[in-house]
Amino acid sequence: MSDDVMFGFGAMRLDLEDENNPSSINYDDVTEMIDYYMDQGFNYFDTSYAYHNGASEAALKIGLVERYPRESFKIADKIPTWALTSEEDNQKFVDIMLERLGTDFFDVLLIHNINESFLQIAENCNSFNYIKKMKEEGIAKKIGISYHDRADLLEEILEKYGDAIDVVQLQLNYLDWESKLTESRKNYEICEKYGKEVIVMEPIKGGTLYNLPDNIKEKFQDKGMTLVEAALRFAASHENVKVVLSGVGNLQQMKENCEVFKPFEPMSEEENKFVLSMANEIKELIAIDCSYCGYCLKECPAGIPIPDFFELYNSEKMYSLPSLHAIYGTTAAANAPASACTECESCMAICTQKLNIPDLLKDVVDCFE
């Protein structure tokens, strides 16, 4: 790991005024987190056109861009690949992103959520040449992709578009390190092979590696580590990793995350082996391998709160609490039950974990309905 590894503020899970409205960001809370984060000496902010239905970028404008000198922080933003319909759309979305942020350049500009399906869209819309142009014109200092797919496809992309990719944003955590679906280790090694900087996303896998039973937590404590510390340190202890993002939702989470990087201590070989050995034990407890990113929500015509239901299902299989059934009933009444799924499969192309969501919703129905 390089000495300049940075803890990054992921602005995709911000505190909400209304939990049923992803745009209802609590700007006071976000501003408080930004101030604490900057005060700790960190300055890398990650957002996207899609996060919080565009309100994430607006929150950074209010809490960061309008309150701090532009040279004092870095912003990474992402073009919504799945929404592209023509080459001109690249510029259309970038113009919107810059306006929402209130800035005239990005420190990092990424093509969002590249996988086998969306790669075809990016190629049809000439997005790789577009981001190269943005770098040449100074609109983006670094360019690249956020990536969710197989390692062999990533290698094909880096062979073909290596000159348009400075950085690759990867899902990397100890639970997915040897995953046959997300291929964290293999993808990281491809980036290393091609000399690409890595930005880590989902180091705590959407909170999965924090919300673990007490007996698991105690095993980490016996090794002198909290669950959050173990996840962040594993992700950051790789040479090509330059930024480790965490989707921080409140000030307490921010404080805990910052603490791990002040100063950062790379994992020893013994600690690394322990954490990877624990991954096998944790996998046995997690029924649905969801990262709770929420990308599927916009794709569901029935309005099913898929990540919420998967989180409840995982919690039920792990803890089996009567209260979970009550929460399911309330959530289903306010939105739509899992049984409302029509099996249209529109959610599956955008799923970063490659889940068969309609089939898994049937398991949710069996459990809660």
Side-chain angles (χ1 to χ4, degrees), residues 200-236:
V200 171
M201 55 184 161
E202 302 293 358
I204 309 176
K205 201 173 172 71
T208 298
L209 298 178
Y210 172 73
N211 297 309
L212 294 171
D214 287 343
N215 66 314
I216 299 289
K217 191 182 299 184
E218 287 165 5
K219 291 181 180 181
F220 280 89
Q221 288 172 343
D222 289 343
K223 293 289 184 179
M225 291 183 280
T226 67
L227 294 174
V228 168
E229 177 191 354
L232 293 177
R233 286 180 61 211
F234 176 85

mmCIF file of all heavy atoms in Angstrom, residues 200-236:
data_model
loop_
_atom_site.group_PDB
_atom_site.id
_atom_site.type_symbol
_atom_site.label_atom_id
_atom_site.label_comp_id
_atom_site.label_asym_id
_atom_site.label_seq_id
_atom_site.Cartn_x
_atom_site.Cartn_y
_atom_site.Cartn_z
ATOM 1 N N VAL A 200 -11.257 1.886 -3.989
ATOM 2 C CA VAL A 200 -12.061 0.799 -3.421
ATOM 3 C C VAL A 200 -13.447 1.304 -3.064
ATOM 4 O O VAL A 200 -13.608 2.310 -2.375
ATOM 5 C CB VAL A 200 -11.391 0.211 -2.168
ATOM 6 C CG1 VAL A 200 -12.331 -0.765 -1.459
ATOM 7 C CG2 VAL A 200 -10.091 -0.492 -2.537
ATOM 8 N N MET A 201 -14.467 0.576 -3.550
ATOM 9 C CA MET A 201 -15.834 0.810 -3.085
ATOM 10 C C MET A 201 -16.321 -0.450 -2.363
ATOM 11 O O MET A 201 -15.781 -1.540 -2.568
ATOM 12 C CB MET A 201 -16.766 1.145 -4.245
ATOM 13 C CG MET A 201 -16.796 0.135 -5.367
ATOM 14 S SD MET A 201 -17.835 0.691 -6.733
ATOM 15 C CE MET A 201 -17.243 -0.344 -8.067
ATOM 16 N N GLU A 202 -17.320 -0.270 -1.530
ATOM 17 C CA GLU A 202 -17.917 -1.361 -0.749
ATOM 18 C C GLU A 202 -16.901 -2.131 0.110
ATOM 19 O O GLU A 202 -16.935 -3.357 0.157
ATOM 20 C CB GLU A 202 -18.668 -2.338 -1.668
ATOM 21 C CG GLU A 202 -19.770 -1.705 -2.483
ATOM 22 C CD GLU A 202 -20.950 -1.193 -1.665
ATOM 23 O OE1 GLU A 202 -20.950 -1.362 -0.437
ATOM 24 O OE2 GLU A 202 -21.858 -0.611 -2.267
ATOM 25 N N PRO A 203 -16.002 -1.442 0.818
ATOM 26 C CA PRO A 203 -15.069 -2.172 1.683
ATOM 27 C C PRO A 203 -15.779 -2.843 2.858
ATOM 28 O O PRO A 203 -15.283 -3.836 3.404
ATOM 29 C CB PRO A 203 -14.115 -1.077 2.179
ATOM 30 C CG PRO A 203 -14.931 0.176 2.134
ATOM 31 C CD PRO A 203 -15.793 0.025 0.904
ATOM 32 N N ILE A 204 -16.953 -2.298 3.242
ATOM 33 C CA ILE A 204 -17.737 -2.889 4.340
ATOM 34 C C ILE A 204 -18.982 -3.552 3.767
ATOM 35 O O ILE A 204 -19.846 -4.017 4.491
ATOM 36 C CB ILE A 204 -18.094 -1.813 5.401
ATOM 37 C CG1 ILE A 204 -16.826 -1.055 5.814
ATOM 38 C CG2 ILE A 204 -18.711 -2.418 6.643
ATOM 39 C CD1 ILE A 204 -17.061 0.101 6.774
ATOM 40 N N LYS A 205 -19.054 -3.621 2.447
ATOM 41 C CA LYS A 205 -20.141 -4.280 1.703
ATOM 42 C C LYS A 205 -21.509 -3.798 2.172
ATOM 43 O O LYS A 205 -22.361 -4.579 2.604
ATOM 44 C CB LYS A 205 -20.033 -5.801 1.819
ATOM 45 C CG LYS A 205 -20.772 -6.550 0.707
ATOM 46 C CD LYS A 205 -20.482 -8.029 0.771
ATOM 47 C CE LYS A 205 -21.348 -8.837 -0.189
ATOM 48 N NZ LYS A 205 -21.002 -8.648 -1.584
ATOM 49 N N GLY A 206 -21.707 -2.485 2.087
ATOM 50 C CA GLY A 206 -22.991 -1.914 2.410
ATOM 51 C C GLY A 206 -23.418 -2.104 3.853
ATOM 52 O O GLY A 206 -24.601 -2.115 4.165
ATOM 53 N N GLY A 207 -22.429 -2.252 4.749
ATOM 54 C CA GLY A 207 -22.723 -2.454 6.167
ATOM 55 C C GLY A 207 -22.765 -3.909 6.580
ATOM 56 O O GLY A 207 -22.818 -4.227 7.774
ATOM 57 N N THR A 208 -22.705 -4.822 5.611
ATOM 58 C CA THR A 208 -22.760 -6.262 5.914
ATOM 59 C C THR A 208 -21.649 -6.668 6.887
ATOM 60 O O THR A 208 -21.881 -7.451 7.809
ATOM 61 C CB THR A 208 -22.633 -7.090 4.621
ATOM 62 O OG1 THR A 208 -23.746 -6.790 3.767
ATOM 63 C CG2 THR A 208 -22.600 -8.579 4.913
ATOM 64 N N LEU A 209 -20.445 -6.139 6.679
ATOM 65 C CA LEU A 209 -19.312 -6.551 7.509
ATOM 66 C C LEU A 209 -19.263 -5.805 8.842
ATOM 67 O O LEU A 209 -18.330 -6.007 9.626
ATOM 68 C CB LEU A 209 -18.001 -6.362 6.734
ATOM 69 C CG LEU A 209 -17.904 -7.205 5.460
ATOM 70 C CD1 LEU A 209 -16.612 -6.934 4.713
ATOM 71 C CD2 LEU A 209 -18.020 -8.689 5.792
ATOM 72 N N TYR A 210 -20.256 -4.977 9.082
ATOM 73 C CA TYR A 210 -20.413 -4.327 10.386
ATOM 74 C C TYR A 210 -21.544 -4.976 11.177
ATOM 75 O O TYR A 210 -21.444 -5.156 12.394
ATOM 76 C CB TYR A 210 -20.712 -2.839 10.199
ATOM 77 C CG TYR A 210 -21.067 -2.123 11.481
ATOM 78 C CD1 TYR A 210 -20.092 -1.836 12.433
ATOM 79 C CD2 TYR A 210 -22.380 -1.750 11.748
ATOM 80 C CE1 TYR A 210 -20.413 -1.194 13.616
ATOM 81 C CE2 TYR A 210 -22.721 -1.104 12.929
ATOM 82 C CZ TYR A 210 -21.737 -0.828 13.860
ATOM 83 O OH TYR A 210 -22.064 -0.194 15.031
ATOM 84 N N ASN A 211 -22.612 -5.367 10.482
ATOM 85 C CA ASN A 211 -23.783 -5.961 11.139
ATOM 86 C C ASN A 211 -23.638 -7.475 11.239
ATOM 87 O O ASN A 211 -24.328 -8.231 10.553
ATOM 88 C CB ASN A 211 -25.055 -5.586 10.365
ATOM 89 C CG ASN A 211 -25.301 -4.098 10.368
ATOM 90 O OD1 ASN A 211 -25.300 -3.474 11.422
ATOM 91 N ND2 ASN A 211 -25.503 -3.516 9.194
ATOM 92 N N LEU A 212 -22.730 -7.895 12.091
ATOM 93 C CA LEU A 212 -22.456 -9.320 12.277
ATOM 94 C C LEU A 212 -22.766 -9.731 13.715
ATOM 95 O O LEU A 212 -22.737 -8.901 14.631
ATOM 96 C CB LEU A 212 -20.988 -9.617 11.943
ATOM 97 C CG LEU A 212 -20.591 -9.414 10.470
ATOM 98 C CD1 LEU A 212 -19.077 -9.513 10.309
ATOM 99 C CD2 LEU A 212 -21.282 -10.447 9.578
ATOM 100 N N PRO A 213 -23.069 -11.009 13.938
ATOM 101 C CA PRO A 213 -23.418 -11.481 15.286
ATOM 102 C C PRO A 213 -22.283 -11.274 16.293
ATOM 103 O O PRO A 213 -21.104 -11.163 15.918
ATOM 104 C CB PRO A 213 -23.688 -12.977 15.083
ATOM 105 C CG PRO A 213 -24.001 -13.124 13.636
ATOM 106 C CD PRO A 213 -23.187 -12.081 12.932
ATOM 107 N N ASP A 214 -22.640 -11.262 17.574
ATOM 108 C CA ASP A 214 -21.678 -10.992 18.643
ATOM 109 C C ASP A 214 -20.531 -11.995 18.672
ATOM 110 O O ASP A 214 -19.392 -11.630 18.970
ATOM 111 C CB ASP A 214 -22.386 -10.975 20.003
ATOM 112 C CG ASP A 214 -23.235 -9.727 20.188
ATOM 113 O OD1 ASP A 214 -23.034 -8.760 19.437
ATOM 114 O OD2 ASP A 214 -24.102 -9.720 21.085
ATOM 115 N N ASN A 215 -20.818 -13.256 18.376
ATOM 116 C CA ASN A 215 -19.748 -14.260 18.441
ATOM 117 C C ASN A 215 -18.674 -14.003 17.390
ATOM 118 O O ASN A 215 -17.486 -14.259 17.610
ATOM 119 C CB ASN A 215 -20.306 -15.681 18.307
ATOM 120 C CG ASN A 215 -20.921 -15.947 16.945
ATOM 121 O OD1 ASN A 215 -21.679 -15.125 16.437
ATOM 122 N ND2 ASN A 215 -20.615 -17.087 16.355
ATOM 123 N N ILE A 216 -19.078 -13.457 16.226
ATOM 124 C CA ILE A 216 -18.108 -13.084 15.192
ATOM 125 C C ILE A 216 -17.347 -11.845 15.640
ATOM 126 O O ILE A 216 -16.112 -11.768 15.525
ATOM 127 C CB ILE A 216 -18.819 -12.806 13.857
ATOM 128 C CG1 ILE A 216 -19.553 -14.046 13.350
ATOM 129 C CG2 ILE A 216 -17.827 -12.283 12.827
ATOM 130 C CD1 ILE A 216 -18.675 -15.154 12.851
ATOM 131 N N LYS A 217 -18.066 -10.880 16.159
ATOM 132 C CA LYS A 217 -17.453 -9.628 16.629
ATOM 133 C C LYS A 217 -16.388 -9.910 17.684
ATOM 134 O O LYS A 217 -15.305 -9.305 17.685
ATOM 135 C CB LYS A 217 -18.538 -8.724 17.215
ATOM 136 C CG LYS A 217 -18.089 -7.298 17.510
ATOM 137 C CD LYS A 217 -19.221 -6.477 18.128
ATOM 138 C CE LYS A 217 -20.419 -6.362 17.208
ATOM 139 N NZ LYS A 217 -21.458 -5.483 17.775
ATOM 140 N N GLU A 218 -16.679 -10.854 18.574
ATOM 141 C CA GLU A 218 -15.733 -11.179 19.653
ATOM 142 C C GLU A 218 -14.442 -11.780 19.111
ATOM 143 O O GLU A 218 -13.358 -11.535 19.663
ATOM 144 C CB GLU A 218 -16.398 -12.139 20.638
ATOM 145 C CG GLU A 218 -17.455 -11.459 21.514
ATOM 146 C CD GLU A 218 -18.353 -12.451 22.223
ATOM 147 O OE1 GLU A 218 -18.086 -13.682 22.112
ATOM 148 O OE2 GLU A 218 -19.318 -12.016 22.882
ATOM 149 N N LYS A 219 -14.533 -12.549 18.040
ATOM 150 C CA LYS A 219 -13.324 -13.143 17.450
ATOM 151 C C LYS A 219 -12.403 -12.053 16.890
ATOM 152 O O LYS A 219 -11.180 -12.157 16.994
ATOM 153 C CB LYS A 219 -13.701 -14.154 16.365
ATOM 154 C CG LYS A 219 -14.361 -15.409 16.924
ATOM 155 C CD LYS A 219 -14.703 -16.408 15.837
ATOM 156 C CE LYS A 219 -15.365 -17.637 16.425
ATOM 157 N NZ LYS A 219 -15.700 -18.656 15.410
ATOM 158 N N PHE A 220 -13.005 -11.025 16.293
ATOM 159 C CA PHE A 220 -12.206 -9.899 15.805
ATOM 160 C C PHE A 220 -11.614 -9.113 16.976
ATOM 161 O O PHE A 220 -10.459 -8.690 16.936
ATOM 162 C CB PHE A 220 -13.050 -8.987 14.915
ATOM 163 C CG PHE A 220 -13.214 -9.497 13.512
ATOM 164 C CD1 PHE A 220 -14.260 -10.347 13.181
ATOM 165 C CD2 PHE A 220 -12.320 -9.128 12.516
ATOM 166 C CE1 PHE A 220 -14.412 -10.822 11.882
ATOM 167 C CE2 PHE A 220 -12.458 -9.591 11.217
ATOM 168 C CZ PHE A 220 -13.517 -10.452 10.894
ATOM 169 N N GLN A 221 -12.417 -8.917 18.013
ATOM 170 C CA GLN A 221 -11.931 -8.189 19.190
ATOM 171 C C GLN A 221 -10.768 -8.909 19.846
ATOM 172 O O GLN A 221 -9.829 -8.270 20.337
ATOM 173 C CB GLN A 221 -13.077 -7.998 20.185
ATOM 174 C CG GLN A 221 -14.108 -6.969 19.725
ATOM 175 C CD GLN A 221 -15.334 -6.920 20.633
ATOM 176 O OE1 GLN A 221 -15.583 -7.831 21.420
ATOM 177 N NE2 GLN A 221 -16.104 -5.843 20.510
ATOM 178 N N ASP A 222 -10.803 -10.233 19.834
ATOM 179 C CA ASP A 222 -9.696 -11.024 20.393
ATOM 180 C C ASP A 222 -8.396 -10.776 19.632
ATOM 181 O O ASP A 222 -7.300 -10.957 20.173
ATOM 182 C CB ASP A 222 -10.033 -12.520 20.373
ATOM 183 C CG ASP A 222 -11.107 -12.888 21.389
ATOM 184 O OD1 ASP A 222 -11.347 -12.076 22.310
ATOM 185 O OD2 ASP A 222 -11.705 -13.969 21.258
ATOM 186 N N LYS A 223 -8.536 -10.365 18.361
ATOM 187 C CA LYS A 223 -7.364 -10.034 17.539
ATOM 188 C C LYS A 223 -7.041 -8.540 17.595
ATOM 189 O O LYS A 223 -6.184 -8.060 16.867
ATOM 190 C CB LYS A 223 -7.601 -10.454 16.084
ATOM 191 C CG LYS A 223 -7.701 -11.958 15.873
ATOM 192 C CD LYS A 223 -6.355 -12.631 16.037
ATOM 193 C CE LYS A 223 -6.440 -14.116 15.723
ATOM 194 N NZ LYS A 223 -5.135 -14.793 15.860
ATOM 195 N N GLY A 224 -7.771 -7.823 18.458
ATOM 196 C CA GLY A 224 -7.497 -6.396 18.638
ATOM 197 C C GLY A 224 -8.066 -5.510 17.553
ATOM 198 O O GLY A 224 -7.561 -4.402 17.328
ATOM 199 N N MET A 225 -9.136 -5.972 16.879
ATOM 200 C CA MET A 225 -9.721 -5.197 15.784
ATOM 201 C C MET A 225 -11.227 -5.084 15.936
ATOM 202 O O MET A 225 -11.891 -6.046 16.335
ATOM 203 C CB MET A 225 -9.437 -5.870 14.427
ATOM 204 C CG MET A 225 -8.000 -5.859 13.977
ATOM 205 S SD MET A 225 -7.815 -6.613 12.324
ATOM 206 C CE MET A 225 -7.837 -8.368 12.761
ATOM 207 N N THR A 226 -11.781 -3.917 15.597
ATOM 208 C CA THR A 226 -13.222 -3.806 15.445
ATOM 209 C C THR A 226 -13.588 -4.327 14.059
ATOM 210 O O THR A 226 -12.721 -4.489 13.186
ATOM 211 C CB THR A 226 -13.700 -2.347 15.572
ATOM 212 O OG1 THR A 226 -13.200 -1.595 14.448
ATOM 213 C CG2 THR A 226 -13.207 -1.714 16.877
ATOM 214 N N LEU A 227 -14.878 -4.565 13.837
ATOM 215 C CA LEU A 227 -15.321 -5.054 12.531
ATOM 216 C C LEU A 227 -15.050 -4.037 11.428
ATOM 217 O O LEU A 227 -14.605 -4.393 10.332
ATOM 218 C CB LEU A 227 -16.813 -5.386 12.583
ATOM 219 C CG LEU A 227 -17.208 -6.554 13.494
ATOM 220 C CD1 LEU A 227 -18.725 -6.690 13.564
ATOM 221 C CD2 LEU A 227 -16.581 -7.863 13.017
ATOM 222 N N VAL A 228 -15.301 -2.757 11.722
ATOM 223 C CA VAL A 228 -15.058 -1.702 10.732
ATOM 224 C C VAL A 228 -13.572 -1.574 10.436
ATOM 225 O O VAL A 228 -13.158 -1.476 9.273
ATOM 226 C CB VAL A 228 -15.632 -0.356 11.216
ATOM 227 C CG1 VAL A 228 -15.128 0.797 10.351
ATOM 228 C CG2 VAL A 228 -17.157 -0.399 11.203
ATOM 229 N N GLU A 229 -12.769 -1.585 11.469
ATOM 230 C CA GLU A 229 -11.316 -1.469 11.296
ATOM 231 C C GLU A 229 -10.780 -2.600 10.430
ATOM 232 O O GLU A 229 -9.975 -2.384 9.518
ATOM 233 C CB GLU A 229 -10.641 -1.485 12.664
ATOM 234 C CG GLU A 229 -9.115 -1.431 12.596
ATOM 235 C CD GLU A 229 -8.455 -1.715 13.943
ATOM 236 O OE1 GLU A 229 -9.184 -1.843 14.951
ATOM 237 O OE2 GLU A 229 -7.222 -1.811 13.973
ATOM 238 N N ALA A 230 -11.242 -3.828 10.703
ATOM 239 C CA ALA A 230 -10.761 -4.979 9.938
ATOM 240 C C ALA A 230 -11.093 -4.824 8.454
ATOM 241 O O ALA A 230 -10.252 -5.071 7.581
ATOM 242 C CB ALA A 230 -11.384 -6.259 10.486
ATOM 243 N N ALA A 231 -12.324 -4.399 8.167
ATOM 244 C CA ALA A 231 -12.747 -4.267 6.769
ATOM 245 C C ALA A 231 -11.973 -3.172 6.041
ATOM 246 O O ALA A 231 -11.486 -3.371 4.924
ATOM 247 C CB ALA A 231 -14.250 -3.982 6.720
ATOM 248 N N LEU A 232 -11.835 -2.014 6.671
ATOM 249 C CA LEU A 232 -11.144 -0.895 6.019
ATOM 250 C C LEU A 232 -9.650 -1.166 5.866
ATOM 251 O O LEU A 232 -9.054 -0.847 4.829
ATOM 252 C CB LEU A 232 -11.370 0.389 6.808
ATOM 253 C CG LEU A 232 -12.805 0.930 6.835
ATOM 254 C CD1 LEU A 232 -12.892 2.171 7.713
ATOM 255 C CD2 LEU A 232 -13.305 1.238 5.432
ATOM 256 N N ARG A 233 -9.048 -1.739 6.884
ATOM 257 C CA ARG A 233 -7.607 -2.006 6.798
ATOM 258 C C ARG A 233 -7.300 -3.067 5.751
ATOM 259 O O ARG A 233 -6.299 -2.980 5.039
ATOM 260 C CB ARG A 233 -7.049 -2.421 8.160
ATOM 261 C CG ARG A 233 -6.936 -1.254 9.146
ATOM 262 C CD ARG A 233 -6.379 -1.719 10.486
ATOM 263 N NE ARG A 233 -5.051 -2.280 10.339
ATOM 264 C CZ ARG A 233 -4.561 -3.257 11.113
ATOM 265 N NH1 ARG A 233 -5.296 -3.775 12.086
ATOM 266 N NH2 ARG A 233 -3.337 -3.705 10.928
ATOM 267 N N PHE A 234 -8.161 -4.089 5.635
ATOM 268 C CA PHE A 234 -7.942 -5.098 4.593
ATOM 269 C C PHE A 234 -7.971 -4.437 3.217
ATOM 270 O O PHE A 234 -7.095 -4.666 2.378
ATOM 271 C CB PHE A 234 -9.010 -6.196 4.658
ATOM 272 C CG PHE A 234 -8.869 -7.203 3.544
ATOM 273 C CD1 PHE A 234 -8.008 -8.280 3.671
ATOM 274 C CD2 PHE A 234 -9.570 -7.050 2.353
ATOM 275 C CE1 PHE A 234 -7.843 -9.192 2.622
ATOM 276 C CE2 PHE A 234 -9.415 -7.945 1.301
ATOM 277 C CZ PHE A 234 -8.550 -9.028 1.440
ATOM 278 N N ALA A 235 -8.982 -3.609 2.985
ATOM 279 C CA ALA A 235 -9.128 -2.972 1.671
ATOM 280 C C ALA A 235 -7.955 -2.064 1.343
ATOM 281 O O ALA A 235 -7.497 -2.011 0.200
ATOM 282 C CB ALA A 235 -10.440 -2.182 1.626
ATOM 283 N N ALA A 236 -7.457 -1.349 2.348
ATOM 284 C CA ALA A 236 -6.407 -0.346 2.111
ATOM 285 C C ALA A 236 -5.001 -0.933 2.048
ATOM 286 O O ALA A 236 -4.069 -0.245 1.620
ATOM 287 C CB ALA A 236 -6.464 0.727 3.200
#
